[in-house]
């Protein structure tokens, strides 16, 4: 049922989303978002010939904080059918963690509803604040600029908008403002001038999973085929960054020399 609702609503709302919203959209995703950030950096820094700054923000407890009445109003702008509105209302009401507030994680409808909700922020940043180099993936977003004081002033404006219009707030501990040459962490990668690498936390998490899968394979809890598929997926992740040395470490950790892949 969720997938059926999604298939009907997605094309109606997606055409109104900004280009640089990358979460849960056709032909978007994490790798395209990181690639777009790299192109933004290259263009705004004139191929790294000058410094630019990146403001990176995260919304505090985003899915748990979405106001369902505001979301319903945003949906009603595009959906006139009373039956469809009733069904969408039932979907929203089915999340009972905190009546009237929040969306469940994982549902395909929740992913679309999240983009509908934060499209208000996207439009504000692009058209009211007129920020050229802005992109968002779910509740993480980045703005690039050549003046750190100008970017710093945006924090208050964005905070006010989120609080007044969407009843959301920025995560104070996850507001980062830094030069692009220091590296910009985004979606598991760190974007640096001329290359990208894997975030330390992401790398450690993957290595721990590989060790765990290796132990399961040694204990005959998973098949060689299952182990092989896991390793190939991790190698695929590293293929999107400068990960040659990391790939060699994966080979060593997994014992690939002993396994026919």
């Amino acid at each position: 049922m969720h997938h059926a609702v999604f298939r009907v609503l997605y094309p109606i709302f997606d055409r109104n989303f900004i280009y640089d919203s990358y979460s849960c959209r056709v032909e978007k995703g994490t790798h395209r978002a990181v690639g777009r950030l790299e192109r933004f950096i290259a263009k705004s820094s004139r191929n790294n010939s000058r410094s630019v700054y990146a403001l990176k923000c995260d919304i505090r407890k985003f899915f748990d904080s979405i106001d369902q009445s505001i979301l319903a109003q945003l949906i009603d702008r595009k959906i006139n059918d009373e039956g469809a509105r009733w069904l969408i209302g039932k979907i929203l009401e089915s999340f009972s963690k905190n009546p009237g507030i929040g969306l469940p994680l994982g549902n395909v409808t929740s992913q679309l509803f999240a983009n509908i909700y934060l499209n208000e922020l996207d439009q504000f940043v692009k058209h009211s604040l007129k920020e050229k180099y802005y992109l968002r993936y779910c509740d993480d977003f980045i703005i690039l600029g050549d003046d750190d004081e100008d970017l710093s002033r945006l924090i208050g404006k964005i905070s006010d908008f989120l609080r007044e219009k969407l009843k959301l707030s920025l995560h104070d501990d996850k507001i980062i403002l830094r030069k692009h040459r220091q590296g910009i962490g985004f979606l598991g990668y760190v974007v640096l001038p001329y290359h990208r690498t894997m975030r330390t936390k992401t790398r450690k998490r993957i290595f721990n999973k590989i060790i765990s899968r290796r132990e399961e394979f040694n204990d005959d809890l998973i098949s060689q085929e299952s182990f092989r598929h896991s390793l190939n997926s991790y190698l695929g992740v590293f293929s999107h960054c400068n990960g040659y040395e990391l790939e060699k470490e994966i080979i060593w950790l997994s014992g690939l020399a002993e396994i026919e892949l």
Side-chain angles (χ1 to χ4, degrees):
M1 189 267 290
H2 285 276
H3 283 274
V5 172
F6 178 86
R7 284 196 298 270
V8 173
L9 295 183
Y10 179 84
I12 296 173
F13 287 95
D14 188 72
R15 66 173 66 100
N16 298 299
F17 295 159
I18 66 168
Y19 181 87
D20 289 307
S21 165
Y22 287 88
S23 176
C24 305
R25 297 180 65 196
V26 175
E27 297 184 354
K28 298 292 183 177
T30 58
H31 299 306
R32 288 178 185 263
V34 176
R36 181 70 162 173
L37 175 60
E38 289 178 322
R39 291 190 290 276
F40 274 177
I41 292 172
K43 189 172 183 178
S44 60
S45 68
R46 297 175 185 172
N47 290 321
N48 296 298
S49 64
R50 66 175 188 175
S51 291
V52 297
Y53 296 86
L55 172 64
K56 184 176 182 294
C57 300
D58 177 274
I59 297 175
R60 181 187 298 275
K61 297 181 179 179
F62 171 58
F63 278 92
D64 286 342
S65 302
I66 291 175
D67 187 289
Q68 294 176 5
S69 64
I70 294 176
L71 175 59
Q73 292 172 20
L74 296 175
I75 293 172
D76 288 350
R77 291 178 185 175
K78 298 290 183 180
I79 304 300
N80 296 320
D81 184 84
E82 289 301 324
R85 288 180 172 181
W86 174 86
L87 180 57
I88 293 168
K90 289 298 181 182
I91 292 173
L92 296 179
E93 292 170 6
S94 67
F95 186 59
S96 58
K97 183 177 179 180
N98 192 356
I101 303 294
L103 291 176
L105 292 172
N107 289 346
V108 66
T109 49
S110 293
Q111 297 165 2
L112 175 59
F113 294 158
N115 276 335
I116 293 171
Y117 206 75
L118 285 183
N119 182 53
E120 299 301 299
L121 171 65
D122 298 340
Q123 300 298 332
F124 173 72
V125 174
K126 294 294 290 184
H127 299 299
S128 295
L129 298 182
K130 301 185 183 304
E131 293 300 319
K132 183 177 181 180
Y133 299 112
Y134 164 83
L135 71 164
R136 179 181 62 80
Y137 187 96
C138 196
D139 58 343
D140 290 334
F141 61 90
I142 290 179
I143 305 174
L144 300 180
D146 55 12
D147 189 315
D148 59 334
E149 293 184 359
D150 286 345
L151 287 176
S152 183
R153 283 191 284 269
L154 293 179
I155 297 172
K157 295 178 182 179
I158 292 172
S159 294
D160 290 344
F161 176 85
L162 289 172
R163 183 181 66 255
E164 295 170 6
K165 300 296 183 179
L166 300 175
K167 297 184 180 180
L168 299 173
S169 61
L170 294 177
H171 198 304
D172 292 337
D173 295 335
K174 295 184 179 180
I175 297 174
I176 299 171
L177 179 57
R178 64 196 307 174
K179 289 183 178 180
H180 81 284
R181 290 192 175 92
Q182 295 176 280
I184 303 172
F186 191 48
L187 303 177
Y189 297 96
V190 177
V191 177
L192 293 151
Y194 307 112
H195 74 286
R196 77 175 77 158
T197 186
M198 185 73 63
R199 285 187 63 193
T200 301
K201 288 183 179 179
T202 305
R203 183 173 68 246
K204 288 181 178 179
R205 184 169 63 250
I206 289 176
F207 285 168
N208 288 335
K209 288 181 179 179
I210 291 172
I211 293 171
S212 177
R213 295 293 279 175
R214 173 70 189 195
E215 291 173 350
E216 290 175 346
F217 173 68
N218 290 339
D219 293 337
D220 294 324
L221 297 176
I222 60 172
S223 67
Q224 179 174 310
E225 182 179 6
S226 177
F227 185 44
R228 182 175 67 247
H229 286 323
S230 295
L231 295 177
N232 285 335
S233 68
Y234 296 136
L235 289 171
V237 171
F238 287 119
S239 71
H240 292 278
C241 65
N242 298 79
Y244 176 70
E245 294 298 325
L246 300 176
E247 290 178 7
K248 290 198 300 184
E249 192 165 353
I250 283 181
I251 292 174
W252 178 80
L253 282 174
S254 61
L256 286 181
E258 306 168 17
I259 301 172
E260 183 181 350
L261 297 181

